[in-house]
Amino acid sequence: MRARMSDIARQAQVSEATVSRVINDRPGVSHETRQAVLTALDVLGYERPERLRKRSAGLVGLIVPELDNPIFPAFAQVIESTLAQHGYTPVLCTQSPGGVTEDEYVEMMLDRQVSGIIFVSSLSADTAADQSRYRRLIERPLPIVLVNGYAETIEAPFVSCDDRLAGDLAVSHLVALGHRRIGMISGPNRFINTQRKLAGYRAALARELGASEVSDDFVALTLFGVEGGEVAADRLLEQGVTGIVCASDLMALGAIRAARRRGLSVPRDVSVIGFDDSPLIAFTDPPLTTLRQPVSSMAVAAVRCLVDEIDGHGAPHSEYLFRPELVVRGSTAIAPTRREIAAA
């Protein structure tokens, strides 16, 4: 047991005495430290003592659009682990074209008597969708939290990345590099996330370049994904843009593919910015400049809101906006015209 105790202490980065207090369920240990020791037990494959095994507080549904976009597994991983720390058993539901729909998953969750549901990028973000489906859940009452799916008609907690600021930051970065012909690629305009990114894009253009430069000539709305980004970028490149802001990292990868198909170099001939900072995106060729969503902070906030709702504390029915971070990598550079002037 001494060897085991030292292993656990090393894994949890605490003393053996602290491990002993936790294992024997003695006072004098903070919640965070106690959780670190219990996690170390799990990681090392040791069975928790019977008195430390927490019974499940219930099931919680987690509904995400799909897993092809790596940002959604990233959200799911943090939400699931945070729910488990609160004693809840997460039930992950993922959608795919032609598969089980969001509404069908909700019915399955209700049949299993879940304690609540967390929606990530759900139909609530679609302004053309029927929002009454969420109001009916609230009236049951069933606690729900919506991540990146704000709708003003739904009385629930919302956790969102500030899309308007993301569009603004991206344009400001490209303008600082000397770009003047800046395009924007996003999904259909009926989505609130698209509307907000476009608002930030337009506001930054007006502020940085003057109101006369604000035009939708360089806006290309398409399907989300690599293919959509490639088709939209091809149209923008035809118009001579030197910088492209994309609503997702996958769209940005499509834009880079379109540029290369035309014999253009990224970032020498055209700069490309993504959104999300999905896992592994730093290792693309070139490494992608992007707006990072604070996934961990947003996921933890969503779980806390839901747990408060379940416990009857009533989380504020408002939107918590999280600031995106501009991560500059190798897909953006000085605009071609400015580089030519500097070289002269």
Side-chain angles (χ1 to χ4, degrees), residues 194-212:
T194 294
Q195 295 172 13
R196 288 177 167 182
K197 286 187 178 75
L198 281 172
Y201 163 83
R202 292 172 179 137
L205 283 178
R207 184 185 66 247
E208 302 290 343
L209 302 179
S212 62

Side-chain angles (χ1 to χ4, degrees), residues 3 7 27 32 46 79 86 90 111 117 129 134 142 163 167 173 256 312 315 326 328:
D7 293 341
E32 291 76 13
Y46 296 133
I79 290 173
H86 286 274
D111 288 343
I117 301 177
Y134 304 104
L142 181 75
D163 291 296
H173 173 61
I256 292 173
L326 176 66
V328 180

Side-chain angles (χ1 to χ4, degrees), residues 185-188 190 220-230 232 248 251:
I185 296 175
S186 189
R190 68 178 190 270
L221 302 183
T222 181
L223 298 176
F224 288 106
V226 175
E227 293 77 12
E230 183 175 3
S248 76
M251 284 181 153

Side-chain angles (χ1 to χ4, degrees), residues 135-194:
R135 292 194 289 273
R136 286 194 295 270
L137 292 176
I138 295 168
E139 290 166 1
R140 287 183 68 93
L142 181 75
I144 65 172
V145 174
L146 299 110
V147 178
N148 285 334
Y150 178 72
E152 62 181 1
T153 61
I154 302 173
E155 291 291 324
F158 295 90
V159 175
S160 307
C161 187
D162 192 336
D163 291 296
R164 186 178 285 102
L165 179 59
D168 191 307
L169 289 172
V171 170
S172 299
H173 173 61
L174 291 174
V175 170
L177 292 172
H179 294 271
R180 294 297 180 268
R181 299 175 68 83
I182 300 171
M184 173 82 189
I185 296 175
S186 189
N189 197 47
R190 68 178 190 270
F191 292 103
I192 187 68
N193 315 74
T194 294

Side-chain angles (χ1 to χ4, degrees), residues 58-69:
L59 301 176
V60 166
L62 170 57
I63 302 180
V64 300
E66 36 91 4
L67 297 181
D68 291 340
N69 187 334

Side-chain angles (χ1 to χ4, degrees), residues 81-82 92 113 122 151 160 177 207 220 236 238-239 246 255 319:
S81 62
T82 308
L92 178 63
Q113 299 183 323
S122 64
S160 307
L177 292 172
R207 184 185 66 247
L236 293 179
E238 184 72 32
Q239 300 178 71
C246 300
E319 184 179 27

Side-chain angles (χ1 to χ4, degrees), residues 42-341:
D42 297 338
V43 169
L44 295 174
Y46 296 133
E47 190 172 331
R48 294 188 184 190
E50 182 67 31
R51 58 181 169 274
L52 298 181
R53 294 178 196 166
K54 183 185 292 185
R55 289 186 177 182
S56 173
L59 301 176
V60 166
L62 170 57
I63 302 180
V64 300
E66 36 91 4
L67 297 181
D68 291 340
N69 187 334
I71 196 64
F72 296 130
F75 269 113
Q77 183 177 20
V78 181
I79 290 173
E80 287 183 323
S81 62
T82 308
L83 282 169
Q85 290 173 16
H86 286 274
Y88 290 91
T89 301
V91 180
L92 178 63
C93 305
T94 61
Q95 302 169 65
S96 59
V100 180
T101 66
E102 180 180 310
D103 289 338
E104 289 170 335
Y105 273 132
V106 168
E107 289 303 317
M108 293 179 191
M109 294 299 98
L110 295 177
D111 288 343
R112 287 162 176 75
Q113 299 183 323
V114 295
S115 300
I117 301 177
I118 295 177
F119 295 88
V120 178
S121 297
S122 64
L123 287 172
S124 61
D126 187 344
T127 58
D130 181 7
Q131 308 299 348
S132 64
R133 53 171 54 90
Y134 304 104
R135 292 194 289 273
R136 286 194 295 270
L137 292 176
I138 295 168
E139 290 166 1
R140 287 183 68 93
L142 181 75
I144 65 172
V145 174
L146 299 110
V147 178
N148 285 334
Y150 178 72
E152 62 181 1
T153 61
I154 302 173
E155 291 291 324
F158 295 90
V159 175
S160 307
C161 187
D162 192 336
D163 291 296
R164 186 178 285 102
L165 179 59
D168 191 307
L169 289 172
V171 170
S172 299
H173 173 61
L174 291 174
V175 170
L177 292 172
H179 294 271
R180 294 297 180 268
R181 299 175 68 83
I182 300 171
M184 173 82 189
I185 296 175
S186 189
N189 197 47
R190 68 178 190 270
F191 292 103
I192 187 68
N193 315 74
T194 294
Q195 295 172 13
R196 288 177 167 182
K197 286 187 178 75
L198 281 172
Y201 163 83
R202 292 172 179 137
L205 283 178
R207 184 185 66 247
E208 302 290 343
L209 302 179
S212 62
E213 296 296 326
V214 180
S215 167
D216 282 348
D217 291 346
F218 293 159
V219 172
L221 302 183
T222 181
L223 298 176
F224 288 106
V226 175
E227 293 77 12
E230 183 175 3
V231 171
D234 199 52
R235 191 162 88 243
L236 293 179
L237 292 169
E238 184 72 32
Q239 300 178 71
V241 301
T242 63
I244 301 178
V245 178
C246 300
S248 76
D249 291 337
L250 295 186
M251 284 181 153
L253 296 181
I256 292 173
R257 181 191 290 177
R260 286 178 172 162
R261 188 160 40 79
R262 286 175 165 266
L264 300 175
S265 171
V266 177
R268 180 172 179 81
D269 300 312
V270 59
S271 291
V272 178
I273 298 180
F275 176 80
D276 282 337
D277 198 28
S278 315
L280 302 180
I281 211 67
F283 304 101
T284 58
D285 179 25
L288 187 66
T289 295
T290 188
L291 276 301
R292 175 183 294 158
Q293 287 202 69
V295 171
S296 294
S297 299
M298 292 172 65
V300 169
V303 171
R304 286 177 177 169
C305 286
L306 187 73
V307 171
D308 283 346
E309 289 279 293
I310 293 171
D311 291 343
H313 300 320
H317 294 172
S318 56
E319 184 179 27
Y320 300 86
L321 279 177
F322 286 75
R323 183 184 179 89
E325 176 189 356
L326 176 66
V327 182
V328 180
R329 298 194 180 104
S331 66
T332 53
I334 294 174
T337 52
R338 178 181 284 190
R339 184 166 51 244
E340 291 163 7
I341 293 171

